[in-house]
Each structure stands twice: as C-alpha cells, then as structure tokens.
Amino acid sequence: MKYNNKRLVRFSKFIHYTIATVLCGFLIALTSVLMDDANQWKDYPYRESYENTELLNKQEGLKDSVESIINNLEKEEERLNLRLSAVETDHANAKESFDTWLAARGTIGSSAQDKAVLERASELDQYFVKERQINASIDSVGRLIHVKEAKQQEIQDVINLEDVRTGKEYHKAIRSYELGVFLIRFSIIFPILLLGIFFAVKFRKHKYWPIFLGFILFSIYAFFVGLVPYLPSYGGYIRYSVGIILCLVFGVYAINRIRAFIERKRNEMQVSQKERATNVQTDIAEKALEDHICPSCGKDFVIRSWRKLSGKDAKVQTIIKNTKYCRFCGLVLFQDCESCGTENFSHLPFCSNCGDEVKVGEKLESNKSMK
Ligand SMILES: [Zn+2]
Ligand SMILES: [Zn+2]
C-alpha cells in the first residue's frame, strides 16, 4: 500500500469490518425468513385423514340407535313409576275410607254387613296385585336398560380403541413431517456452512475478503444459532457433532499452519542476514521499528542500562539504546546514511535526514568485511 499511514489503515479496517457485519446481518435476516417459510413447503398432516371413517360411522350409528332405545326405556320406566305412585295413592285413600267405614260399622254393630266387609277387603287386595304387577314391569325395564347400557359401553370401547390407534398414527405422521421440514432446513444451512469453511480456508488473501468474511460469519451463525429453534429433539446431537468435527478439523489445520510457520522462520534464519535484510517488507519494518523488535526474528533490539544519579534524592535513570545488529539473529538494524551520515533504520527505504535511498546492509557489510 503506497499511502500507508496509520489512519488510512485503521479506516480501511473499519470499512472492511462494517461491510462484513452488515452483509452478515442481511444474510441472517434473509435466511431466517426462508427458515420460517420452510414449514409451508410440506403439507401439515390432518388427524381426520388417519381415522377409519367407515368403522367410526358404523359404531356411531349403533351407538345412536342404542341410545334412543335406552331413552325410550327410561321414559317407559318413568311412566310406570308415575302409575305406581298413582295406584299407591288410590290404595292409601281406599284403605283410609275402609278403616273409617269399619270403625263406624263397629259402633253401629250391624252383623248383616259382614259380606260387605269381605267385598271391600278384596277390593283393597286388588290394589296390592296392581302394585306388584307394576313393580315387576319396572324391574324388567330396569334390566333391559342395564343390558343396553352394557352394549353402549362395548361400542364406546371400540370407538376409544380406534381413537388411540388414530392418535398413534397421527403422532407418527407429525414426527415424520417435522423431520422432513428439518431436513429441508438442514439441507439449506449445512451447505452454507461448508461454503463458509471453504471461503475461510481459500479466500483469506482475496481482494474481496470482507465480503467473504461476512458470509463466513453468517454461515457460522446460521448453523449454530439460527437453526436452533427448528431443531427436533435429537437436533442437539447433530449440532454438537458438527461442532466437534469442525473443532478437530480446524485444530489440526491451525496446528499444522503454526508448525509450518515456525519451520519457515527457522529456515529463514539459515539464510544469510543480507538476504534476509533485503526480504523485509516495508510494512513489517514499520511495525517492527514501532515495537522495537527485529523484523526477522521478532526479538527486542533495545538495550536498557541503569544509572544511579548522585544527589540528595538519588533516582535511578534508565538509558535506552538501539543495537546496530540484532543480538539474536545477526540482522542489520541501524546504519549510517552514505550521503549524510545520519543513523537510519535499515529496513525503511529512505534516509530521514537527506532523503537518499538507504541501501540495506551494504555499507555495514562492506565495513565488516574490511575489518
Ligand atoms: Zn533478529
Ligand atoms: Zn542521509
């Protein structure tokens, strides 16, 4: 980058991350709409379609007819009960009148009326007979009602059994519906995750990296967070398994990258310091100078020494000095300008005093070989 000032770098970083974040946000919003709509792509199962309608209709018909029979029987029972109570009332009235009549007869004492007594007594007996008959009828109606009620229960049991069977089938259908919808969602999100991983591995140096970064962030979010509300009961297994596999893959990848980097650095150290010096890039040199580290081996090149000042309240003064060469890898760090003699950092291209080109390491190399 030609205009490599810090503000520009910071600004372009900010723009890059903004692009990535905003893109990621829109992608997430779009996918969540898509995810919500996914359950309309399959027909939701209806309970009615799993019922054995023929059987149910037949049983319901039977149940209705038995019910109407029971209703009629109950009406009959009620009617008989009314009749019974009417007969009982008549009986009680007749008995009362008979008792009165008998008492009156006792006082008057006419023996010619014995025949009349017997007649009236047998009239009372008629009431007993009537009552017994009605009671017998009530009993038989009651038994019939019992039988019909048992029949009704039988029919209800068949209906209940059918209901349980329908419930099981329906439940199964719902589960398979949910699985289907989940698989649709999964088959959208999982390839997105794979694509994100592919971008992360392949396009880190790409000109449009912020756009890829936005997609990568989105893919991770979509799989590990966005899919969660739609997961079936066993969805956790899928999520965590994929997470573990990704950790392993990335772990191995990262470890290998770090090892390769260390190996490369070690090989670099084998190369002569002059060759290394010419290979230092300006942006790395700038950063190294700012952090006072060697641009090749990354170790601190500053030497500190301490001096105790004399006087009343004696303080310790720290003296900081740059080294001309790295103490750890031997790389040239500072050299004097060939034109004006000012000391410059060897890895920045121009002299800070006269603007002449700094030819890295050359003068020092020659100085060294002359000694
Ligand atoms: Zn070094
Ligand atoms: Zn100069």
Side-chain angles (χ1 to χ4, degrees), residues 53-84:
T53 352
E54 202 185 324
L55 178 92
L56 279 182
N57 286 344
K58 198 180 142 203
Q59 294 299 322
E60 290 291 347
L62 278 175
K63 198 175 138 187
D64 285 349
S65 74
V66 171
E67 212 164 71
S68 81
I69 292 172
I70 290 175
N71 278 342
N72 288 340
L73 285 172
E74 277 170 352
K75 271 183 202 150
E76 171 71 9
E77 196 181 29
E78 207 177 318
R79 201 178 55 78
L80 286 170
N81 276 322
L82 282 175
R83 231 181 100 198
L84 179 66

Side-chain angles (χ1 to χ4, degrees), residues 233-244:
S233 54
Y234 49 85
Y237 294 117
I238 297 171
R239 193 157 62 115
Y240 295 132
S241 307
V242 171
I244 290 167

